[in-house]
Amino acid sequence: MIELQNVTLTFPDGENRITAIDDVTLRGDNGTVTGITGPSGSGKSSILAVAATLIRPDSGGVLISDGTDTIDAAQLSKHEATKLRRERIGIVFQQSNLLPALTAREQLQVMARLGGGTSRNKRAKIDARVDELLDAVGLTEHAGKRAHQLSGGQRQRVAIARGLVHEPEVLLVDEPTSALDQERGAEIMELIAGLTHERDTATLLVTHDLVHRDALDDLVTVIDGRITTPVAGQALTR
Amino acid sequence: MFEQKGIIVFVAWRELRFARGRFLLIGAVVALITLLVGFLSGLTGGLAAQNISSVLQLPGDRLVLQQPENSDPSFATSSLGEDTVTAWEHADGVESVTPVGIVQSRASSSGTDDPTGVALYGLPQDAPGTGSNSLFELTPDSDTEVGLSSGAADDLGVEVGDTISITGNDFTVAAIGEDLWYSHTPVLVMTPEAWSEASKLVGGTGEATVLAVTGDADWEAVGSETDTVAETPLASLTALEAFQSEIGSLGLMIAMLFGISALVVGAFFTVWTMQRAGDIAVLKALGATTGSLVRDSLGQALIVLAVGIGVGLAAVIGLGTLAGQALPFIISPLTTLAPAVVMAVLGLAGAAFALRSVTKADPLTALGSNR
């Protein structure tokens, strides 16, 4: 579970500050895909950045819980936040952001090596999950291909598998269909929803495109840094 | 083996294979610079040996040379009279003084009219501290004999028992020893008396050129009293003009090549790291530590440097062996491994300049459509 509690984030703008997120409270439960939508510049990507610990909010908390242990990610040091992303948060970027030198399999294997001193056991565990996840996203046959040898949809599938290979409690997805046609976009959204339900992951998904909203369990709309629709559970506006 | 080191080299190694053209190019540049540095080092070593190998055989804690009034001490002009020798022998703390005469002249094997440039050494027998000294081993027993370094024997085409002519006098070759040189001429050793006569015949004073002194004296004070200067054997080499000018210019070239190497490697990795700044931001966003990314980048540079330097070193040894047959070229750890290590260290220093792109990469840029 991930919960943003009364999060406010401002950026400097000359002598003033502009508010990107204004007292946002948002909860993503395990096994659900929570969509965050809104117009460009509304603050939805900033919410994702705060949830991903890539930026620290001015105030408020980012609670991440595995059921027994809850931590406030907003209070972590840079080093602790990096460790949290490495171990408990998965991120799927808008442009897939695969490393050009690595094959699809290696894109996943690298997750076991991000800490530098990662134990051999942990590497072995993640390596064992790599093939299972590549199969889950339908890319077993393409495991040896590099990013430039894959289609846009295939690259995004690899990115999704990479986001889940270390079994994170939270999956953060940024505009996963923006570079895909409608058919491929629908496949990707279904894949994210399926994996989220199957793996009991709390998924926050930023999208400006509501064509695929059937794949979402919850949906909130952000305008001018504020959530304008109810938050809890049944907020989906279909 | 590389995969056992975490992210270190996991990404770097795959990038090396992926962008092999670029890395082959920089590797080839490193290899060529190593070849140049190695060749210059080997040549410098060879030229230095041809300048100083006999001087380095002189025994003693200090070498004493005449201190001219208006110029620096010089082996070529130093002349130390009996009074000076006596003053040093009686100075407090001095244990032994060995007067050594050095003068350059010509010699020819008897019956030929083909003179060869040689360095005439006048050395006393049984000088202290010269038990297994390859220079003093050539000292003959009589004034009509000479000892030849192998280079002199080769140039003159003589063997033990043959006769050679120096300044119009004939001498019998009593011994042929190691390859010793002085200022690019092979060494020939005479008795002090024979040397003194030969020195006068070539325009010298017949007095000792240098004193090899052992002991623990007040070197400056005694030197000041006797218009001499006492230097360590290594420091005294600056009194050899040919050595100073050669080593100075060749050393400058080597230093510049080291600098160029660091700049080239640094520039390459700076551009390379800037090109992959986006990938670094993504890795950071996914949870990579800055430290592991720095080690990854340096590991990549180290692989490129190791391969480039290794290839260059192999070429130096191969080509240097061939060149050594025609040129004064020395292959030793000092002329091969030492420059290679310096190249690697400076190359890594150059690559380290590129690390700012790694440490400053903002993982936030991986989000959105910034890339």
Side-chain angles (χ1 to χ4, degrees):
Chain A
M1 180 275 292
I2 181 168
E3 184 172 2
L4 278 66
Q5 285 185 338
N6 306 109
V7 168
T8 296
L9 174 71
T10 62
F11 292 115
D13 181 30
E15 292 181 358
N16 303 314
R17 296 188 75 85
I18 55 169
T19 302
I21 306 174
D22 189 1
D23 196 29
V24 162
T25 295
L26 171 66
R27 178 185 167 114
D29 287 315
N30 288 357
T32 64
V33 181
T34 303
I36 304 169
T37 192
S40 293
S42 60
K44 54 188 188 298
S45 285
S46 295
I47 290 174
L48 206 68
V50 168
T53 71
L54 295 175
I55 190 165
R56 190 191 285 239
D58 296 10
S59 62
V62 180
L63 307 182
I64 293 177
S65 171
D66 61 1
T68 54
D69 178 33
T70 301
I71 57 165
D72 184 355
Q75 302 303 318
L76 298 179
S77 68
K78 219 171 191 177
H79 182 73
E80 290 167 334
T82 301
K83 188 168 185 284
L84 183 77
R85 291 198 298 275
R86 190 165 64 239
E87 295 179 349
R88 298 177 68 176
I89 297 175
I91 304 176
V92 178
F93 304 99
Q94 185 173 348
Q95 302 293 329
S96 78
N97 287 358
L98 300 182
L99 303 180
L102 305 189
T103 64
R105 176 178 280 114
E106 289 164 350
Q107 306 283 351
L108 275 61
Q109 286 175 328
V110 80
M111 291 301 295
R113 291 154 174 88
L114 293 177
T118 310
S119 72
R120 193 182 292 254
N121 280 346
K122 187 173 180 190
R123 286 206 301 271
K125 274 184 187 173
I126 291 187
D127 285 349
R129 279 199 297 275
V130 166
D131 287 334
E132 177 215 328
L133 264 163
L134 283 173
D135 183 49
V137 298
L139 285 178
T140 301
E141 288 177 14
H142 303 283
K145 290 183 179 174
R146 292 200 174 98
H148 70 277
Q149 296 169 312
L150 300 170
S151 69
Q154 287 170 335
R155 283 199 291 271
Q156 205 57 285
R157 286 168 183 269
V158 174
I160 292 164
R162 180 176 65 181
L164 290 169
V165 72
H166 53 303
E167 294 190 323
E169 295 140 48
V170 176
L171 181 65
L172 304 173
V173 187
D174 186 20
E175 303 272 13
T177 62
S178 64
L180 304 176
D181 61 38
Q182 195 166 326
E183 187 182 347
R184 300 282 173 268
E187 288 173 9
I188 290 298
M189 290 295 283
E190 283 171 22
L191 181 64
I192 292 170
L195 289 170
T196 297
H197 300 150
E198 181 186 316
R199 289 165 187 270
D200 204 28
T201 309
T203 299
L204 296 185
L205 186 149
V206 166
T207 181
H208 68 276
D209 183 0
L210 293 178
V211 173
H212 311 296
R213 63 182 174 188
D214 285 350
L216 306 175
D217 298 305
D218 289 345
L219 178 67
V220 296
T221 302
V222 182
I223 295 175
D224 291 338
R226 292 184 177 188
I227 290 181
T228 59
T229 53
V231 178
Q234 295 75 33
L236 185 60
T237 52
R238 293 179 190 268
Chain B
M1 63 175 281
F2 298 111
E3 294 183 19
Q4 301 306 314
K5 303 290 184 186
I7 197 173
I8 303 173
V9 194
F10 181 89
V11 176
W13 183 248
R14 282 153 184 82
E15 284 176 341
L16 285 171
R17 287 188 304 183
F18 181 65
R20 64 177 74 89
R22 271 174 282 189
F23 284 107
L24 274 177
L25 195 65
I26 187 65
V29 170
V30 171
L32 283 172
I33 294 176
T34 305
L35 180 63
L36 266 174
V37 169
F39 243 83
L40 271 176
S41 299
L43 195 60
T44 305
L47 288 170
Q50 281 203 345
N51 255 321
I52 61 169
S53 58
S54 61
V55 177
L56 290 178
Q57 292 296 315
L58 294 177
D61 300 315
R62 298 286 173 126
L63 297 183
V64 174
L65 289 161
Q66 184 185 15
Q67 173 64 67
E69 277 186 28
N70 300 315
S71 59
D72 293 328
S74 163
F75 277 88
T77 58
S78 177
S79 180
L80 305 170
E82 276 300 321
D83 292 348
T84 306
V85 177
T86 304
W88 273 101
E89 283 173 339
H90 290 94
D92 286 343
V94 170
E95 293 167 9
S96 69
V97 175
T98 304
V100 175
I102 308 172
V103 69
Q104 286 182 293
S105 180
R106 294 192 298 178
S108 59
S109 58
S110 289
T112 67
D113 193 19
D114 188 15
T116 296
V118 291
L120 305 180
Y121 265 74
L123 301 176
Q125 280 203 320
D126 304 324
T130 59
S132 57
N133 186 298
S134 58
L135 178 64
F136 280 78
E137 278 175 354
L138 297 176
T139 309
D141 293 331
S142 79
D143 296 345
T144 58
E145 292 178 330
V146 290
L148 267 57
S149 65
S150 61
D154 288 343
D155 285 357
L156 290 164
V158 296
E159 296 176 351
V160 172
D162 290 347
T163 304
I164 63 170
S165 178
I166 305 166
T167 61
N169 296 318
D170 285 346
F171 295 86
T172 302
V173 177
I176 296 174
E178 284 185 17
D179 195 20
L180 295 170
W181 294 75
Y182 170 84
S183 197
H184 293 296
T185 48
V187 163
L188 186 156
V189 180
M190 315 168 91
T191 63
E193 293 74 21
W195 178 86
S196 180
E197 190 178 335
S199 167
K200 289 172 185 168
L201 287 172
V202 295
T205 61
E207 294 175 331
T209 308
V210 58
L211 305 180
V213 182
T214 57
D216 187 20
D218 185 347
W219 307 109
E220 279 193 28
V222 182
S224 178
E225 287 168 12
T226 55
D227 292 331
T228 57
V229 59
E231 298 281 9
T232 61
L234 278 179
S236 72
L237 298 177
T238 56
L240 268 168
E241 287 85 353
F243 173 74
Q244 202 174 9
S245 56
E246 278 175 10
I247 296 303
S249 52
L250 288 170
L252 184 65
M253 279 189 241
I254 292 171
M256 287 179 72
L257 278 173
F258 282 144
I260 290 169
S261 168
L263 280 175
V264 167
V265 173
F268 173 84
F269 279 101
T270 298
V271 173
W272 171 249
T273 310
M274 284 169 71
Q275 283 180 343
R276 56 194 284 266
D279 294 340
I280 292 166
V282 168
L283 285 167
K284 279 189 169 183
L286 292 174
T289 60
T290 300
S292 68
L293 291 168
V294 165
R295 288 193 292 275
D296 189 64
S297 292
L298 285 179
Q300 194 173 56
L302 191 61
I303 291 171
V304 173
L305 286 167
V307 173
I309 290 171
V311 170
L313 210 53
V316 167
I317 292 170
L319 296 174
T321 304
L322 292 175
Q325 295 167 8
L327 296 169
F329 194 93
I330 285 182
I331 296 174
S332 72
L334 197 63
T335 61
T336 52
L337 292 181
V341 169
V342 174
M343 284 273 297
V345 170
L346 289 177
L348 277 179
F353 274 112
L355 293 179
R356 189 175 163 78
S357 301
V358 175
T359 57
K360 296 294 174 190
D362 185 357
L364 189 59
T365 59
L367 272 185
S369 55
N370 293 320
R371 292 197 73 205

